[in-house]
Amino acid sequence: MNALTSLDRPNSYIGRSVPRPNAKRLLAGRGRYVTDFVLPRMLHVAYVRSPYAHARIVSIDAQAAREMPGVKLVATGQDLARLCTPWVGTMDHFKGMKSPPQLPLPVDKVVWSGQAVVAVVADTRALAEDAAETVAIEFDELPVVVDIDAARMPGSPVISPELGSNLCFHGKIDTGGVDDVFANAAHIVEEEFHFGRHTAVTMEPRAIIADYDASEQQLTVHHATQTPYQFQDIYSRHYGIPESRVRVIAPDIGGSFGMKLHMYHEDMAVVGLSIMLGRPVKYVADRIESFVSDIHARDHRVRARMAVDADGEILAMDVEDVTAIGAFSAYPRTSVVEGNQVYRLMGAPYTFRNYRADLQVVFQNKVQMSQYRAVGHPIACAVTERLVDMIAAKTARDVFEIRSGNLIPDDAYPCTSPTGYQFEALSHHACLAKLRQMMDYDRLRAEQAQLRSKGIHRGIGIATFVEITNPGPAFYGVGGARISSQDGAIIKITPSGDVRCLISVTELGQGTETIIGQIVAEHLGVDRNRIKVITGDTETTPHGGATYACRGAGIGGETALQAALKLKANVLSVAGAILQEASEKLDIQNGWIIDAATMHPRVELAEIARIVYFRSDTLPPGTQAQLSVTHHYAPQGYPFAFTNGVQGCHLELDVETGLVNILKVWVVEDCGRIINPLLVDEQIRGGVVQGLGAAFFEECAYGDNGQLTNGSLADYLVPMAVEMPDIEIGHVETPTLDTQLGAKGVGEAGTAAASAAALNAVNDAMAPFGGSIAQLPMTPARILKALGHI
Amino acid sequence: MSEPINVSMTVNGSRVSCGVEPRSTLADFLRQTLALTGTHTGCEMGVCGACLVVVDGRVVHSCLMFAVQAGGSVIETVEGLTERAAIADLQDAFHLRNALQCGFCTPGMLMTAYSLLSQPGIPTRDEIRDALSGNYCRCTGYEAIVDAIENVARDRDAASIAQTREEAGA
Ligand code: FES
Ligand code: FES
């Protein structure tokens, strides 16, 4: 007889692949994205943008625009500065970091090409654009700061002279002893890496409608964002509207990936425009505007070296990262987090203890760089894993062997990384072994050798990683940013025995509402079809962190779990009173109150609800039933729940053209307790493809004058279906013991290591030619150059 | 030049007649005038595939066509195909396989799949990936979409074989 698994219990949903109830609506074309919204008397804004990367605004002549058909308002930086207080993208825990104040629209100068300067509001977007074309802005060009080295040279033009230099932040980590280790090492490998800028290219661009009602001093913002509470706080504070009168609604969102949690100037301006007009104002970025105003990601030059002893044991790493972030640090999360994670995550999977790193975060005249999926991880992973492969080559070891000799043993936890990250429990070796078997590694190597003799050049690359998930207040809160690391849920039982859960984590298509429904169903004891999960509205859901840094399942999920247990206790208490039974002897299953020992059904949950809501007169005196609960959960214990895993990449390189055909990718991932394998795997696949985009295609190309030269979807290459491989996924499950749920995050794992594995695979394919590459994206031209063909 | 021009067309089975600005694209007309917001725009230059609709039996980019050019045409959007259950199996397969996340690319993906599977035979995975080469998706990594379309192709083929057998047997 087959043993029963935990999934055979009634209402067992955690660990089960169930599809997303809310996906059917999207499939029927009934999604409701901000882009789709039309409000009564709604107006549209178009922005006049700067053609220069750095220039003083001499004058603005908007008279002609004001007289154009349908135009309701033309507003400049001065107009909005009267309503909106400036913001500064710094956090206290980044000691010494600086950034200039920002306003919705600039008042005296522009600092990147594409910066919005004048807002034109009209009856339709087309009319607003027509009028915007007639606005004449006179600029006085200033010297442009683009290059990361030139920006830091003495005598370089300083973008914000009040800050004294173009250096936003300088960080150092030094465990000591690094020079000695390198002096005595048997081998040293070193490399200079370049990581280009890329950007989110969400399918739905940024979209926002601000609707200010002066009669009630009420601001309602329909905002395609992953963090509505953060924006409620920002709009309230910067426009001086009480928080209770600011409502931010995040409906269906067409992709986000970290891009839609930053403050954008156009979005802030829309709020002010609505206040000025007393009418709803809508802004939807078109694709070209997205390229010049959405945050860009990465942009690092890393010089790194690694020391190893004669036995192939890694001893130390020495790293210098220079990253360029645009003319200011993004708000409210800052643009230092990316570099901070790069230099703290270096070498994190390995045992070595000696580490030194220098991080410089530099201002330049480009659009802001800030957090995007897998913040910093792909850089730290690619640098570390490439150096490890270089050591393998230098010491004539296999790439699996060098890793199994140096990864932190699976039984060595808890432990810390040289940079102070605390690891509760990771499973590098289990993952590595599983990957080897999934890849059928030995066969691939044999095949590779065989094909090489036929002039076919395949490459095999692997990359281990750790990922930061479930961040506590150490991430933002301690730095003074008003970004919550806790979440809140309200769960109610309706009079007919259905369940509504309003929770602060948000849905972006990753499946938040589905997994929250699974967790509540399992822990309350009801069928998941009877549960409605509601997210994305600050008016109805409790304040919480929402969605960032892989926290939805781990923190939001635990919030839902604890809330469900609290509600269950309330239900059983009133059921006990009704049934004249001790509540400990009762349980809930399939929407029935049952005898916990015999599983015998006693009374339906719906009947309890009916009595509570309509016949409280029949309850024993003194019974005040609580069929709604509010519960908050803030992570305690470890500052972050680290996950880990390893990826493998198999590809074929055409050495004549430099083109790469990605044959297959494997991922073994340990995100702790898996709530829904179907959704977890698709998070990983989507993440891997974003990582492969960065590895091979995506780059925001700039000219020396600070002009973005490929700002359209025809010029900026994104990964498409034909170029992408099938991706095989395996799991190791090491639940965190910090929560009852045991879940960690998974949304960024795919992106964290995909480009590193690809980099190693391309270098592996090139090995017989003696070439090597250390720049992403690995375009055909760069590959041919590495091969010495051009 | 921006005076509205009267156009008539059939959209999702209904006759539509109204004035449109000459510069209005078919995508904008469907979305804004007819409130058929299931058709999306992601690039407005013919590369992302979010705006695909059926015009006179062919799947076309509604962002690349002016509404006035569609005068006299028969147009179907995701709403129309849904209502007449023409893509119900595809929608089910996408749902079960979780072949969508944010859903913004999805109507366009369904259009491409609808068109591909109207050809006889079962496409290979490579052929499916090839057919999707004009549909950008940032969320899924494509594999689930390929799986879903492949599953429907197999099911439809099996159903048609069964039907042929039944007819032959009858
Ligand atoms: S909007 Fe038509 S192809 Fe992108
Ligand atoms: S599901 Fe989001 S773009 Fe495809």
Side-chain angles (χ1 to χ4, degrees):
Chain A
M1 189 192 127
N2 290 332
L4 289 181
T5 72
S6 65
L7 289 178
D8 296 312
R9 282 183 287 110
N11 315 124
S12 291
Y13 294 109
I14 295 175
R16 201 183 278 281
S17 284
V18 292
R20 291 156 48 213
N22 55 6
K24 285 189 173 171
R25 196 165 49 74
L26 306 178
L27 280 159
R30 294 183 61 103
R32 290 266 291 150
Y33 303 90
V34 173
T35 323
D36 302 332
F37 282 25
V38 178
L39 300 184
R41 302 185 72 233
M42 186 173 84
L43 300 168
H44 300 259
V45 61
Y47 290 100
V48 186
R49 293 176 183 277
S50 167
Y52 300 108
H54 198 193
R56 199 168 307 288
I57 301 168
V58 178
S59 65
I60 297 172
D61 180 0
Q63 198 45 43
R66 289 195 172 90
E67 288 161 13
M68 291 283 283
V71 171
K72 293 294 185 289
L73 175 71
V74 179
T76 64
Q78 299 283 3
D79 300 328
L80 285 155
R82 279 183 211 111
L83 296 174
C84 179
T85 58
W87 61 90
V88 179
T90 55
M91 287 197 285
D92 306 338
H93 62 316
F94 296 130
K95 295 277 175 272
M97 94 162 280
K98 52 196 185 179
S99 181
Q102 300 174 56
L103 285 166
L105 299 177
V107 289
D108 55 355
K109 62 176 192 168
V110 291
V111 290
W112 87 90
S113 171
Q115 182 173 5
V117 182
V118 175
V120 180
V121 186
D123 290 330
T124 68
R125 173 69 178 249
L127 290 173
E129 285 178 13
D130 289 346
E133 275 176 28
T134 70
V135 174
I137 307 173
E138 192 187 330
F139 291 100
D140 184 8
E141 271 189 85
L142 294 166
V144 176
V145 180
V146 175
D147 180 75
I148 52 172
D149 291 320
R152 293 176 297 150
M153 299 259 265
S156 159
V158 176
I159 300 171
S160 299
E162 70 275 21
L163 303 182
S165 74
N166 292 318
L167 196 61
C168 167
F169 177 71
H170 191 177
K172 287 175 193 286
I173 300 172
D174 192 352
T175 60
V178 170
D179 284 330
D180 276 354
V181 174
F182 274 90
N184 297 311
H187 306 281
I188 293 171
V189 292
E190 60 189 310
E191 184 61 279
E192 176 174 306
F193 298 85
H194 295 264
F195 299 91
R197 277 184 166 228
H198 51 87
T199 185
V201 201
T202 55
M203 191 52 145
E204 181 193 31
R206 279 165 33 226
I208 183 169
I209 303 169
D211 182 7
Y212 184 71
D213 177 353
S215 64
E216 290 191 320
Q217 287 183 28
Q218 166 77 37
L219 174 70
T220 305
V221 184
H222 304 266
H223 193 170
T225 176
Q226 52 195 94
T227 51
Y229 314 95
Q230 172 196 296
F231 284 107
Q232 178 188 35
D233 174 76
I234 288 175
Y235 299 143
S236 161
R237 282 186 301 115
H238 289 280
Y239 280 102
I241 307 167
E243 196 170 43
S244 61
R245 292 179 188 277
V246 177
R247 176 182 190 182
V248 178
I249 304 170
D252 294 329
I253 296 166
S256 192
F257 316 113
M259 186 274 280
K260 291 177 183 168
L261 50 62
H262 305 285
M263 186 71 252
Y264 292 96
H265 304 85
E266 297 89 345
D267 300 5
M268 193 67 129
V270 164
V271 172
L273 298 170
S274 178
I275 292 172
M276 285 187 217
L277 287 156
R279 290 174 66 169
V281 177
K282 180 174 190 172
Y283 173 65
V284 178
D286 67 25
R287 184 55 62 192
I288 291 169
E289 290 182 290
S290 300
F291 276 108
V292 298
S293 66
D294 290 356
I295 55 110
H296 291 178
R298 320 307 180 210
D299 203 354
H300 298 263
R301 184 191 64 205
V302 181
R303 294 180 175 138
R305 51 188 194 133
M306 201 176 248
V308 65
D309 73 9
D311 299 328
E313 185 183 336
I314 302 170
L315 303 173
M317 240 181 129
D318 189 13
V319 174
E320 177 202 283
D321 178 19
V322 184
T323 177
I325 60 166
F328 42 73
S329 163
Y331 185 70
R333 291 166 190 259
T334 85
S335 302
V336 169
V337 175
E338 163 84 10
N340 186 56
Q341 292 196 175
V342 168
Y343 89 146
R344 288 184 191 280
L345 284 166
M346 288 281 175
Y350 298 98
T351 51
F352 70 86
R353 304 307 301 168
N354 293 90
Y355 181 70
R356 180 169 64 194
D358 183 280
L359 168 68
Q360 296 196 44
V361 180
V362 180
F363 295 123
Q364 57 176 180
N365 290 118
K366 291 184 185 175
V367 71
Q368 56 188 335
M369 187 291 299
S370 204
Q371 288 89 318
Y372 163 68
R373 195 175 200 171
V375 187
H377 292 71
I379 313 304
C381 182
V383 169
T384 305
E385 293 301 297
R386 175 69 190 129
L387 292 179
V388 169
D389 266 20
M390 289 166 74
I391 285 178
K394 200 154 198 171
T395 61
R397 285 179 164 79
D398 178 75
V399 295
F400 274 87
E401 185 195 343
I402 189 80
R403 284 174 176 80
S404 49
N406 282 286
L407 288 166
I408 302 171
D410 288 357
D411 60 4
Y413 300 96
C415 65
T416 57
S417 78
T419 62
Y421 280 139
Q422 299 173 39
F423 301 132
E424 180 193 8
L426 303 175
S427 56
H428 289 301
H429 292 268
C431 289
L432 194 68
K434 188 158 191 163
L435 180 79
R436 185 176 185 125
Q437 170 223 329
M438 277 167 58
M439 289 174 78
D440 201 353
Y441 179 71
D442 298 329
R443 187 191 62 77
L444 283 189
R445 279 287 178 214
E447 177 197 74
Q448 178 187 42
Q450 202 182 21
L451 290 174
R452 265 184 185 152
S453 62
K454 296 183 189 152
I456 295 170
H457 298 282
R458 292 196 169 170
I460 303 164
I462 64 172
T464 52
F465 65 93
V466 300
E467 193 213 326
I468 295 174
T469 80
N470 295 3
F475 214 46
Y476 291 115
V478 296
R482 295 168 65 88
I483 296 165
S484 193
S485 58
Q486 63 81 54
D487 277 296
I490 298 168
I491 313 186
K492 337 180 196 193
I493 293 174
T494 72
S496 52
D498 288 348
V499 179
R500 294 168 74 82
C501 175
L502 301 99
I503 190 158
S504 55
V505 282
T506 49
E507 173 71 59
L508 307 168
Q510 80 282 50
T512 297
E513 293 178 359
T514 306
I515 61 157
I516 296 299
Q518 290 177 256
I519 292 165
V520 172
E522 171 148 340
H523 285 277
L524 190 57
V526 298
D527 192 289
R528 80 175 183 120
N529 293 325
R530 300 198 69 166
I531 297 176
K532 166 100 177 159
V533 180
I534 296 145
T535 62
D537 184 350
T538 61
E539 199 92 321
T540 55
T541 56
H543 188 96
T547 303
Y548 64 86
C550 284
R551 58 185 306 289
I555 301 176
E558 181 71 5
T559 308
L561 183 152
Q562 293 187 5
L565 292 179
K566 199 166 171 181
L567 179 58
K568 182 175 182 175
N570 289 359
V571 171
L572 293 181
S573 155
V574 66
I578 290 168
L579 296 169
Q580 300 288 300
E581 181 70 86
S583 58
E584 314 81 69
K585 297 205 168 142
L586 301 171
D587 199 355
I588 312 178
Q589 210 171 70
N590 280 333
W592 279 77
I593 314 301
I594 60 165
D595 185 295
T598 65
M599 312 280 263
H600 184 74
R602 299 288 304 271
V603 56
E604 204 173 354
L605 178 60
E607 176 61 6
I608 301 280
R610 184 192 67 81
I611 294 168
V612 165
Y613 287 116
F614 306 122
R615 292 303 308 273
S616 52
D617 57 309
T618 65
L619 291 172
T623 310
Q624 291 293 349
Q626 304 296 322
L627 295 192
S628 301
V629 299
T630 301
H631 187 80
H632 288 263
Y633 168 75
Q636 290 172 337
Y638 284 89
F640 310 104
F642 275 90
T643 69
N644 69 280
V646 55
Q647 298 197 15
C649 181
H650 190 213
L651 49 79
E652 191 168 305
L653 173 65
D654 182 333
V655 292
E656 301 304 318
T657 62
L659 287 168
V660 169
N661 181 11
I662 310 165
L663 301 170
K664 179 117 184 183
V665 168
W666 298 262
V667 181
V668 180
E669 211 277 341
D670 184 347
C671 60
R673 175 80 64 243
I674 294 174
I675 300 163
N676 185 326
L678 176 71
L679 304 190
V680 160
D681 286 0
E682 294 318 313
Q683 278 305 297
I684 293 173
R685 290 200 172 92
V688 164
V689 166
Q690 284 185 9
L692 293 175
F696 293 105
F697 309 110
E698 299 185 41
E699 183 165 34
C700 302
Y702 277 88
D704 294 341
N705 53 1
Q707 299 289 338
L708 183 68
T709 57
N710 63 343
S712 87
L713 256 184
D715 301 308
Y716 178 100
L717 303 179
V718 288
M720 301 297 282
V722 261
E723 295 130 359
M724 288 299 111
D726 282 345
I727 299 162
E728 194 179 326
I729 296 165
H731 297 283
V732 172
E733 270 190 86
T734 310
T736 170
L737 301 180
D738 270 356
T739 62
Q740 187 173 337
L741 182 63
K744 310 177 199 175
V746 73
E748 301 173 276
T751 310
S755 51
L759 178 68
N760 280 344
V762 169
N763 277 298
D764 183 51
M766 276 199 248
F769 303 91
S772 82
I773 187 165
Q775 180 169 17
L776 302 187
M778 295 176 280
T779 59
R782 286 175 186 154
I783 287 174
L784 289 177
K785 202 161 166 219
L787 286 166
H789 292 187
I790 54 174
Chain B
M1 125 163 181
S2 58
E3 283 308 299
I5 296 178
N6 254 324
V7 291
S8 302
M9 57 184 102
T10 302
V11 180
N12 296 332
S14 301
R15 191 104 184 107
V16 174
S17 195
C18 57
V20 295
E21 277 195 39
R23 66 175 171 181
S24 176
T25 63
L26 179 60
D28 285 346
F29 174 72
L30 292 170
R31 288 178 49 77
Q32 292 164 15
T33 309
L34 302 185
L36 291 166
T37 52
T39 299
H40 299 150
T41 57
C43 69
E44 296 171 280
M45 60 188 301
V47 295
C48 78
C51 66
L52 293 173
V53 297
V54 184
V55 177
D56 298 326
R58 283 191 329 122
V59 171
V60 304
H61 293 102
S62 61
C63 73
L64 291 184
M65 191 169 181
F66 290 111
V68 292
Q69 292 176 292
S73 291
V74 176
I75 293 170
E76 277 194 301
T77 67
V78 66
E79 290 92 344
L81 292 182
T82 302
E83 273 164 22
R84 69 175 177 89
I87 51 172
D89 53 355
L90 279 164
Q91 287 163 318
D92 284 347
F94 270 59
H95 182 235
L96 287 174
R97 181 59 191 83
N98 200 42
L100 70 159
Q101 289 180 29
C102 78
F104 207 78
C105 70
T106 309
M109 293 286 177
L110 290 168
M111 288 291 162
T112 298
Y114 170 73
S115 159
L116 175 70
L117 298 191
S118 63
Q119 325 283 329
I122 306 177
T124 63
R125 287 180 77 78
D126 282 348
E127 285 166 348
I128 296 171
R129 285 188 181 272
D130 209 46
L132 293 173
S133 65
N135 288 85
Y136 171 52
C137 174
R138 188 51 136 180
C139 303
T140 63
Y142 302 104
E143 185 170 336
I145 297 171
V146 176
D147 290 347
I149 295 172
E150 190 181 33
N151 291 344
V152 173
R154 292 228 172 91
D155 289 352
R156 282 192 189 178
D157 192 66
S160 83
I161 290 170
Q163 197 186 343
T164 318
R165 283 214 188 106
E166 210 170 279
E167 283 163 8

